[in-house]
Amino acid sequence: MKQHVELLLMNIGQLLTMESIGPKAGKDMKELVMLEDAVVGITNGKVAFIGGRESAKTIQAAEVIDCQGKLVSPGLVDPHTHVVFGGSREHEMALKQQGVPYLEILKQGGGILSTVEHTRQASEEHLYEKAYFHLDRMLAHGVTTAEVKSGYGLDVETELKQLKVAKRLQQNHPVDLVSTFLGAHAIPHEYKDEPQAFLDEMVGMLDLIKIEELAEFVDIFTETGVFTVEQSRDYLTRAQEKGFGLKIHADEIDPLGGTELAADLGASSADHLVGASDEGIKKLAESKTIAVLLPGTTFYLGKETFARARKMIDEGVRVALATDFNPGSCPTENIQLIMTFAALKLKMSPEEIWNAMTVNAAYAIGRGEQAGQIVVGRKADLVIWDAPNYEYLPYHYGVNHVNTVIKNGQIVSRRREISEAISLSPKS
């Protein structure tokens, strides 16, 4: 008796199923769950069957995709993005080239505050269309689940506008979105001498955000010139009491102790961590908080010192990777480029990179049971790559290796028919 499926992927050279019962830490990040010469059956938007080549004889499919020995993986997960924003900041590149520090650009009214002005002026519809465009690019690069933050309003009206745009995108765009309220992203001009009053105003939004289901997480930028560790602790504790998950922009530039705070509060993730102290890394390893590293940001800001991923992993920290896509410090939707940065600048192995962009990234945004793995019974979010193996993507950088993206069992992005693509398999 043959099993019937709607879609059958066959002749898969390497199938990264990435099966895991939780986020991976330490030496476990070097392990991949992989099948070679595999097939995957999909029905009703979910994975119905996984097996070897011979098992395909037991399957009857309405549609068949011959993967021609290519790599197939789960859809990638981007756990830190700022997709909803107005304007752009290309004029700041000249300042960066002159060596002007980011915090100085911020003092001059640039940086986050520049984007705040453009976002405040933009209509909800404009922000929606612009963000939809960026999400299309992310999807085309293999991302099927992503986190999206507010934080370019810094007032009640605009922060709500951003969150409403994110909710519309979640309802209408193929990429699954997880929304984070980052009202405490910077101190606006009107509150420059009263940061605590501004934080109180942001806390005042939380009940409405919860009622209207506009965000699952609350985030804060804990950094020199922005919010202190003490202010961040109070703010996040109040958010946690209202039922929100926690995230922290921690120790991106200076080692203030945001990493330790994230571990103390049991935050889902601590993000950036370029300046994380030895004690902070130790605390992360002892906690369940996931370190979300953003090497694309460090690269774009022209910094020489990157987050100490090697030390983190070796000490048992759960590490994830993200683009940090935003208009100022990392304007790229190409998560594959982040793979190469992770390999060359963070000294991560290909196996660690794949775990960081699937399993761990999903758990960092509360989607560990839905995304980042190819498992029978889960929704079928898969990518067929124009690559012969998983090591190829970090190696061949700067281009898009996606051939086909399958979301909920449906083809949502295809660069070209597989039959027209040049096979990179050594079997050919």
Side-chain angles (χ1 to χ4, degrees), residues 55 75 79 88 112-113 129 181 188 194 204 218 243 267 302 326 353:
S55 62
S88 61
I112 291 171
L113 298 180
E129 292 175 359
F181 174 52
E194 299 179 284
V218 170
N326 73 80
I353 291 168

Side-chain angles (χ1 to χ4, degrees), residues 82 85-96 100-120 151-154 185-189 221 226 252-253 300-301 326-331:
H82 301 256
F85 61 87
S88 61
R89 305 214 307 255
E90 61 274 15
H91 58 282
E92 290 181 12
M93 179 169 277
L95 295 176
K96 294 185 178 78
V100 179
Y102 175 73
L103 292 179
E104 180 60 34
I105 294 174
L106 190 64
K107 287 180 182 177
Q108 295 177 16
I112 291 171
L113 298 180
S114 171
T115 301
V116 166
E117 276 306 304
H118 285 99
T119 306
R120 286 179 175 180
Y152 290 127
L154 308 186
H185 196 188
I187 303 171
H189 287 304
F221 193 2
V226 194
E252 177 181 359
I253 301 170
Y300 191 76
L301 291 176
N326 73 80
S329 60
C330 197

Side-chain angles (χ1 to χ4, degrees), residues 266-291:
S268 293
S269 71
D271 301 24
H272 285 290
L273 308 183
V274 178
S277 67
D278 290 349
E279 179 62 25
I281 291 173
K282 180 182 177 183
K283 277 200 167 187
L284 279 185
E286 296 170 349
S287 74
K288 294 182 179 180
T289 299
I290 296 174

Side-chain angles (χ1 to χ4, degrees), residues 165-182:
V165 167
K167 186 171 184 177
R168 284 180 61 194
L169 291 166
Q170 163 64 11
Q171 294 167 342
N172 299 323
H173 197 278
V175 175
D176 283 332
L177 296 178
V178 175
S179 187
T180 294
F181 174 52
L182 181 57

Side-chain angles (χ1 to χ4, degrees), residues 251-252 272-276 293-310 312 338 340-342 344-347:
D251 301 333
E252 177 181 359
H272 285 290
L273 308 183
V274 178
L293 306 184
L294 313 167
T297 304
T298 309
F299 168 82
Y300 191 76
L301 291 176
K303 302 291 186 179
E304 298 296 328
T305 302
F306 285 73
R308 294 185 289 169
R310 191 72 270 141
M312 292 179 190
I338 305 305
T340 301
F341 292 155
L344 297 180
K345 298 298 184 180
L346 302 186
K347 310 303 180 184

Side-chain angles (χ1 to χ4, degrees), residues 335-364:
I335 197 169
Q336 296 167 49
L337 186 60
I338 305 305
M339 289 184 170
T340 301
F341 292 155
L344 297 180
K345 298 298 184 180
L346 302 186
K347 310 303 180 184
M348 293 174 65
S349 70
E351 295 82 3
E352 291 167 342
I353 291 168
W354 279 101
N355 278 309
M357 288 191 163
T358 56
V359 175
N360 285 8
Y363 277 100

Side-chain angles (χ1 to χ4, degrees), residues 58-167:
T58 67
I59 303 294
Q60 186 172 356
E63 181 182 357
V64 175
I65 295 178
D66 183 349
C67 296
Q68 299 181 351
K70 297 179 187 297
L71 171 72
V72 174
S73 79
L76 301 183
V77 180
D78 193 337
H80 185 127
T81 82
H82 301 256
V83 171
V84 181
F85 61 87
S88 61
R89 305 214 307 255
E90 61 274 15
H91 58 282
E92 290 181 12
M93 179 169 277
L95 295 176
K96 294 185 178 78
Q97 290 171 328
Q98 295 166 27
V100 179
Y102 175 73
L103 292 179
E104 180 60 34
I105 294 174
L106 190 64
K107 287 180 182 177
Q108 295 177 16
I112 291 171
L113 298 180
S114 171
T115 301
V116 166
E117 276 306 304
H118 285 99
T119 306
R120 286 179 175 180
Q121 294 169 13
S123 68
E124 182 176 322
E125 194 60 34
H126 173 77
L127 292 177
Y128 175 83
E129 292 175 359
K130 189 174 188 297
Y132 202 102
F133 170 82
H134 293 305
L135 285 173
D136 277 349
R137 277 187 172 169
M138 292 172 64
L139 182 68
H141 281 85
V143 172
T144 55
T145 302
E147 185 247 25
V148 55
K149 301 179 188 292
S150 68
Y152 290 127
L154 308 186
D155 62 21
V156 173
E157 179 183 358
T158 313
E159 287 294 321
L160 288 175
K161 180 170 63 175
Q162 280 191 274
L163 293 172
K164 289 175 181 178
V165 167
K167 186 171 184 177

